[in-house]
């Protein structure tokens, strides 16, 4: 257990340093460095330099070379927002409201009550944006053109959503739980970022309301003071600055469920969300099996040494990674990489493989992960209108001099 007084003291201090829109506007004046034509590295308050995709709302991805540790440090963790009004939440004023037509007794909790009244649990889980690697779809699809850095792995501490919902009492008519955060749009007409979960996923023992990330209070940009952790599902459901949970008897019909974040039915292996499915499509749910070579970097020139260490990460929606295979001949032959420590089935898994090049020149390296369910990565991404679930086998080129 973390000492509560210590927590509040630390939080109060960091609150002064963090901030919402006002700080964001000030930071915009900070020098931006251009490293490549399309890559602008910029610093948000309390963050290290990240790759800026959009400034308002803030969307920043993590450079791949930061994925060299099992847990992504908080100050290197990516930031994704749909709406630009992001209030600076004060611990003392924050309340989580639980209600809805299928909740028996509406409830309001302070951060102190949330931390004190429920069992605290830790889980290692990958936070992965549905649109990670969207920028690699050909032909291009609309939306933020993410590279491979709209993800991060962290150790989360919080309380089970099911324990908190039990406090309000769930009626037999309950179908979904809707989830809302403190941020909102600049214009009244902009739909608030509100999502919903099927009741079964909300009651899953791994679904948490987290207030700590890698042993620290959540950074402002990653959802201070509390956010949802939905292990195995893409991060669109991981609502930051959580303020309202509604247990409801009808399918939630907001824009971010009915229109956005949907995938064609039956094209991907997927979790169920029957109350939100149509004949044609369904909400994105489970993360698909995937991997990333994190070093060396694509296009890098290296001395033609006896051996070159290839490093990467691999993940899926919760079956766990069974193996990663590497090819240096365009996919004709594959050799098994070594998996590093297992932090649980929702964490990514680091891996490495020693490449012994035969000759100098250009060389293409490919990596392919297979999960314990037997699923593995396709050679081409599966087309879908919004560019989600890009999990094609990655190819990098090395120049051996
Ligand atoms: N309140 C709020 N929570 C949110 C979002 C948002 O726009 N507002 N975006 C979601 C999406 S799509 C992603 S990918 C993750 C990103 O989490 P991060 O910013 O902590 O990296 O937050 C999720 N939670
Ligand atoms: Mo996302």
């Amino acid at each position: 257990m973390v000492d509560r007084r210590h927590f509040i003291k630390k939080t109060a201090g960091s609150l002064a340093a963090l901030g919402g829109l006002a700080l964001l506007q000030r930071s915009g004046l900070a020098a931006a460095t251009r490293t490549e034509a399309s890559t602008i590295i910029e610093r948000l308050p309390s963050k290290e330099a990240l790759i800026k995709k959009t400034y308002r709302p803030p969307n920043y991805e993590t450079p791949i070379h930061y994925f060299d540790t099992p847990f992504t440090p908080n100050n290197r963790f990516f930031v994704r927002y749909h709406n630009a009004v992001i209030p600076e939440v004060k611990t003392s004023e924050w309340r989580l409201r639980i209600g809805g037509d299928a909740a028996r007794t509406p409830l309001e909790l302070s951060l102190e009550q949330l931390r004190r009244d429920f069992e605290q649990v830790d889980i290692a889980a990958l936070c992965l944006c549905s649109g990670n690697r969207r920028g690699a779809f050909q032909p291009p699809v609309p939306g933020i053109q993410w590279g491979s850095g709209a993800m991060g792995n962290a150790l989360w501490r919080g309380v089970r959503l099911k324990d908190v919902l039990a406090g309000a009492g769930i009626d037999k008519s309950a179908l979904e739980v809707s989830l809302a955060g403190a941020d909102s749009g600049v214009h009244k007409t902009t739909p608030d970022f509100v999502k919903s979960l099927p009741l079964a996923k909300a009651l899953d023992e791994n679904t948490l309301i987290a207030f700590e990330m890698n042993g620290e209070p959540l950074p402002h940009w990653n959802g201070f003071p509390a956010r949802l952790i939905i292990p195995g599902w893409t991060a669109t459901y991981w609502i930051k600055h959580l303020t309202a949970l509604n247990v409801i008897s009808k399918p939630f019909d907001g824009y971010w469920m009915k229109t956005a974040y949907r995938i064609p039915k039956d094209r991907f292996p997927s979790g169920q969300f029957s109350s939100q499915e149509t004949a044609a499509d369904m909400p994105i749910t489970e993360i698909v099996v995937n991997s990333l070579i994190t070093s060396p970097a694509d296009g890098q020139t290296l001395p033609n040494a006896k051996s070159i260490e290839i490093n990467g990460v691999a993940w899926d929606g919760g079956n766990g990674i069974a193996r990663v295979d590497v090819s240096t001949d365009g996919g004709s032959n594959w050799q098994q990489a070594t998996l590093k420590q297992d932090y649980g089935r929702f964490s990514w898994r680091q891996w490495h493989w020693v490449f012994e090049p035969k000759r100098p020149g250009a060389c293409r390296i490919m990596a392919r992960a297979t999960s314990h369910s037997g699923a593995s990565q396709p050679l081409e991404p599966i087309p879908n209108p919004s560019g989600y679930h890009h999990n094609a086998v990655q190819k990098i080129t090395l120049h051996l001099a």
Side-chain angles (χ1 to χ4, degrees):
M1 276 283 286
V2 175
D3 177 81
R4 192 152 43 85
R5 268 188 331 215
H6 174 67
F7 170 78
I8 290 171
K9 209 171 94 222
K10 236 165 76 185
T11 306
S14 57
L15 258 185
L18 303 178
L21 196 55
L23 259 177
L24 176 63
Q25 276 160 351
R26 260 181 276 143
S27 79
L29 301 171
T33 328
R34 199 171 280 267
T35 56
E36 297 167 24
S38 61
T39 306
I40 299 173
I41 302 288
E42 200 179 76
R43 234 170 254 267
L44 282 170
S46 89
K47 291 279 184 186
E48 284 196 37
L50 300 174
I51 300 166
K52 182 175 86 173
K53 309 307 282 189
T54 67
Y55 166 64
R56 197 169 184 232
N59 283 293
Y60 289 73
E61 69 173 276
T62 303
I64 290 174
H65 66 268
Y66 284 157
F67 293 146
D68 57 353
T69 52
F71 298 108
T72 316
N74 294 1
N75 59 3
R76 295 177 169 181
F77 211 90
F78 84 107
V79 176
R80 203 271 182 263
Y81 281 98
H82 296 76
N83 285 322
V85 180
I86 305 162
E88 184 179 342
V89 179
K90 302 238 175 353
T91 308
S92 57
E93 288 164 17
W94 181 84
R95 293 290 180 276
L96 176 58
R97 295 188 173 83
I98 302 130
D101 71 306
R104 293 215 183 94
T105 332
L107 203 69
E108 202 177 282
L109 296 170
S110 67
L111 188 63
E112 198 179 310
Q113 287 170 311
L114 193 71
R115 295 179 64 98
R116 188 192 58 204
D117 296 348
F118 305 91
E119 185 190 348
Q120 295 193 7
V121 284
D122 291 309
I123 194 164
L126 177 73
C127 178
L128 170 81
C129 182
S130 318
N132 195 30
R133 275 174 95 188
R134 177 183 290 125
F137 272 96
Q138 285 301 340
V141 291
I144 295 180
Q145 299 299 297
W146 295 109
S148 298
M151 64 171 178
N153 199 49
L155 186 63
W156 310 95
R157 172 170 291 184
V159 298
R160 293 187 188 91
L161 178 58
K162 77 177 172 90
D163 293 349
V164 173
L165 293 178
I170 300 168
D171 192 74
K172 275 202 286 293
S173 61
L175 181 69
E176 295 183 0
V177 179
S178 75
L179 326 159
D183 45 326
S184 56
V186 176
H187 304 287
K188 277 211 180 71
T189 49
T190 313
D192 257 4
F193 192 68
V194 182
K195 301 288 297 185
S196 70
L197 286 173
L199 189 67
K201 192 67 182 171
L203 299 182
D204 188 297
E205 64 169 1
N206 295 305
T207 298
L208 304 186
I209 303 172
F211 32 74
E212 274 182 33
M213 176 175 173
N214 297 323
E216 299 276 339
L218 293 175
H220 166 71
W221 302 112
N222 303 104
F224 183 87
R227 79 175 301 170
L228 285 164
I229 304 302
I230 321 292
W233 282 29
T234 67
T236 179
Y237 301 97
W238 298 38
I239 297 295
K240 302 189 277 187
H241 322 287
L242 184 67
T243 52
L245 296 166
N246 283 306
V247 188
I248 50 180
S249 63
K250 306 228 158 36
F252 180 73
D253 69 353
Y255 172 83
W256 300 104
M257 290 309 299
K258 290 288 175 203
T259 309
Y261 286 101
R262 298 186 70 91
I263 52 171
K265 238 175 159 174
D266 305 329
R267 209 171 290 180
F268 301 96
S270 199
Q272 295 275 299
F273 204 155
S274 49
S275 56
Q276 291 283 346
E277 292 176 17
T278 68
D281 64 7
M282 63 175 290
I284 191 167
T285 55
E286 263 169 34
I287 294 170
V288 293
V289 65
N290 215 335
S291 65
L292 179 72
I293 297 168
T294 54
S295 77
D298 188 19
Q300 204 172 325
T301 299
L302 294 167
N304 184 31
K306 264 213 192 84
S307 65
I308 295 168
E309 175 141 305
I310 312 288
N311 294 290
V313 289
W315 64 90
D316 85 323
N319 295 293
I321 292 302
R323 58 188 290 156
V324 172
D325 298 283
V326 181
S327 173
T328 58
D329 61 2
S332 303
N333 292 286
W334 294 87
Q335 290 177 62
Q336 204 170 340
T338 305
L339 300 180
K340 296 196 194 176
Q341 190 171 336
D342 185 356
Y343 291 94
R345 63 195 178 97
F346 299 110
S347 170
W348 72 19
R349 190 93 185 249
Q350 291 182 291
W351 55 265
H352 68 114
W353 183 74
V354 178
F355 174 34
E356 290 170 354
K358 299 282 179 292
R359 63 193 77 83
C363 171
R364 176 167 276 187
I365 316 271
M366 296 157 75
R368 184 183 64 198
T370 304
S371 79
H372 283 299
S373 75
S376 89
Q377 300 176 243
L379 286 173
E380 294 299 329
I382 298 162
N384 65 101
S386 304
Y388 298 135
H389 279 331
H390 191 305
N391 73 332
V393 167
Q394 180 203 12
K395 302 168 182 145
I396 67 161
T397 303
L398 301 180
H399 302 280
L400 307 173

